[in-house]
Amino acid sequence: MFNQDVIGVAVVGTGFGQKVHIPGFQAHPRTQVVAVYHRDLEQAQAIAQSHNIPHACNTIADIVSLSEVQAVSIATPPFLHHEMAKEVLQAGKHVLIEKPVTLNATEAKELYSLAKQKGVVATVDFEFRFVPGWQLFSELLSQGYVGNKRLIRIDWLGSSRADAGRAWNWYSQKEKGGGALGSLGSHTFDYINWLFGPIRRLNAHLSTAIPQRSDPNTGELKPVDTDDTCMLMLELADGTPCQVSISAVVHAPRTHWLEVYGDRGTLVLGSENQKDYIHGFRVWASQPGKPLTEIEIPNRLLFPKNYADGRISAFIRVVDQWVQGITKGEQVTPSLQEGVYSQLLMDLTHESNETSKWVNIPDLEEFLRS
């Protein structure tokens, strides 16, 4: 018998969906995966069977018509998000959507307005907000540890696309939402907004180190028109300068690093974990003239359980927030509003790169009303 206290969830998309969403929902005490979507019905049925999921579907219409489905998580490539999420929202179902939420801010704004109109709870998988080291870093910042901020530096350097032999796919195509800016920059813009507040203007340079990759079906070389390295200069609304370096094609010992320098202190958050971009974050702090000292992450912030795939631990916390919002009938943060902001900043990054100019960032509330 279906338990009314448990929220029936459908998982749409079975790459990241199968690695992270299905195990995350199955581990959460208040969610049950009742349906799975794959465009190939046989594939959907095989995945459903292997994960003990009752329903397998190959259309979103079939997914939303199931009475057991109260909420839907969308983990397909970005170019599919807008139409899928629209159909889910129009059916009045709650939605969890992977980032980047859409291909542009206009589409993201449409989803935001639709979710509001339908009164459903929509969230985005901006999981860094839920990682223990990041939460400690946020607490120290909000306590004024650094004083007045003078400089922020962010490096997110990885090698996931460094192999020129890695096949050409949607990630290689700008029109499908591929590239390092979409996969990593979407997170970066969200956590900058969360930790430091809005951005006033930006200047961007995007580049592609590997301009061709081979088609997995034909073997022919195809052009890559997405970025694999992004260099960004930002000026925050409070005037603080922020420098961001993002790359998916470098072998760097320091994979993900945030440094904040203020008049009263320095805070550093970093991870050298090459295999798992969620675990391994540590926090260091120092007062002027004193050495950097590691600050232990308190037990209250630690994940209660770690998984072989570290992304599951953080995803479960995203789900937990979403479930609480659904239960109370209240919006949660991050919501589609944060998804719109991240997407708007990505759109303006492309504009800056194409024009080689600084671009001003509109106020989010004004943008949502426009």
Side-chain angles (χ1 to χ4, degrees):
M1 185 70 187
F2 186 68
N3 182 344
Q4 289 303 312
D5 292 336
V6 170
I7 294 163
V9 178
V11 174
V12 173
T14 50
F16 191 73
Q18 203 172 177
K19 289 190 189 95
V20 175
H21 285 217
I22 290 173
F25 285 122
Q26 289 185 330
H28 195 283
R30 293 280 318 280
T31 55
Q32 181 182 351
V33 184
V34 294
V36 67
Y37 162 96
H38 190 285
R39 65 184 181 277
D40 177 329
L41 187 58
E42 280 187 19
Q43 285 264 67
Q45 287 165 340
I47 292 161
Q49 195 174 359
S50 65
H51 293 280
N52 203 21
I53 298 166
H55 299 282
C57 306
N58 66 346
T59 70
I60 301 299
D62 288 346
I63 284 282
V64 297
S65 69
L66 293 166
S67 59
E68 304 101 306
V69 173
Q70 294 153 274
V72 178
S73 80
I74 298 175
T76 52
F79 65 96
L80 297 169
H81 289 181
H82 177 246
E83 286 306 314
M84 287 179 162
K86 206 161 117 177
E87 202 170 342
V88 169
L89 291 168
Q90 279 166 342
K93 310 283 186 181
H94 306 289
V95 71
L96 184 155
I97 192 163
E98 273 302 327
K99 45 85 256 163
V101 289
T102 49
L103 293 178
N104 57 63
T106 305
E107 288 182 351
K109 189 162 75 166
E110 187 187 348
L111 295 182
Y112 164 80
S113 301
L114 188 55
K116 209 171 170 184
Q117 180 195 324
K118 291 288 184 180
V120 298
V121 179
T123 193
V124 183
D125 187 21
F126 287 134
E127 67 258 51
F128 286 99
R129 291 170 176 257
F130 301 93
V131 176
W134 290 71
Q135 293 182 326
L136 172 61
F137 189 76
S138 170
E139 286 181 7
L140 292 165
L141 275 173
S142 60
Q143 289 160 14
Y145 184 91
V146 300
N148 294 314
K149 297 186 297 296
R150 290 181 174 173
L151 174 67
I152 298 163
R153 281 193 52 188
I154 296 170
D155 293 320
W156 193 350
L157 309 173
S159 58
S160 64
R161 315 293 299 181
D163 179 3
R166 186 161 179 181
W168 183 91
N169 64 358
W170 68 265
Y171 191 99
S172 310
Q173 303 169 72
K174 187 179 174 186
E175 67 173 19
K176 294 198 168 175
L181 180 69
S183 67
L184 308 180
S186 54
H187 275 303
T188 305
F189 283 138
D190 179 65
Y191 66 62
I192 289 172
N193 185 33
W194 164 49
L195 295 169
F196 309 116
I199 297 166
R200 182 185 294 159
R201 60 189 193 127
L202 62 79
N203 193 330
H205 174 68
L206 308 180
S207 59
T208 307
I210 301 171
Q212 292 181 312
R213 292 185 184 270
S214 66
D215 186 304
N217 301 314
T218 65
E220 69 170 307
L221 284 175
K222 285 194 161 180
V224 173
D225 68 357
T226 52
D227 57 279
D228 51 33
T229 295
C230 321
M231 305 299 291
L232 293 154
M233 283 191 291
L234 312 174
E235 183 189 328
L236 302 187
D238 65 8
T240 308
C242 176
Q243 176 188 324
V244 181
S245 307
I246 294 171
S247 183
V249 288
V250 294
H251 298 279
R254 302 185 344 151
T255 54
H256 201 167
W257 231 255
L258 278 77
E259 302 167 11
V260 184
Y261 301 95
D263 61 350
R264 282 174 40 200
T266 296
L267 279 176
V268 176
L269 169 72
S271 172
E272 293 165 349
N273 193 329
Q274 298 282 352
K275 300 286 180 204
D276 178 345
Y277 65 76
I278 294 297
H279 285 99
F281 282 100
R282 296 154 69 196
V283 179
W284 296 266
S286 71
Q287 244 89 57
K290 302 277 174 65
L292 269 180
T293 308
E294 186 171 354
I295 299 182
E296 191 178 352
I297 298 166
N299 284 336
R300 65 185 167 81
L301 297 178
L302 296 177
F303 291 126
K305 182 180 175 184
N306 290 321
Y307 293 80
D309 186 328
R311 298 171 298 185
I312 295 170
S313 304
F315 180 73
I316 289 171
R317 286 187 167 178
V318 175
V319 171
D320 199 50
Q321 186 111 325
W322 189 40
V323 164
Q324 286 177 42
I326 292 169
T327 305
K328 294 174 186 169
E330 295 172 359
Q331 286 306 327
V332 295
T333 304
S335 69
L336 274 173
Q337 182 166 317
E338 283 72 32
V340 171
Y341 192 62
S342 171
Q343 188 62 56
L344 175 62
L345 289 163
M346 286 190 285
D347 290 3
L348 295 175
T349 296
H350 284 295
E351 183 185 320
S352 172
N353 178 61
E354 285 154 19
T355 59
S356 300
K357 288 179 179 170
W358 281 90
V359 174
N360 292 325
I361 314 297
D363 174 76
L364 179 60
E365 295 294 336
E366 283 175 24
F367 178 76
L368 289 170
R369 283 196 300 270
S370 64

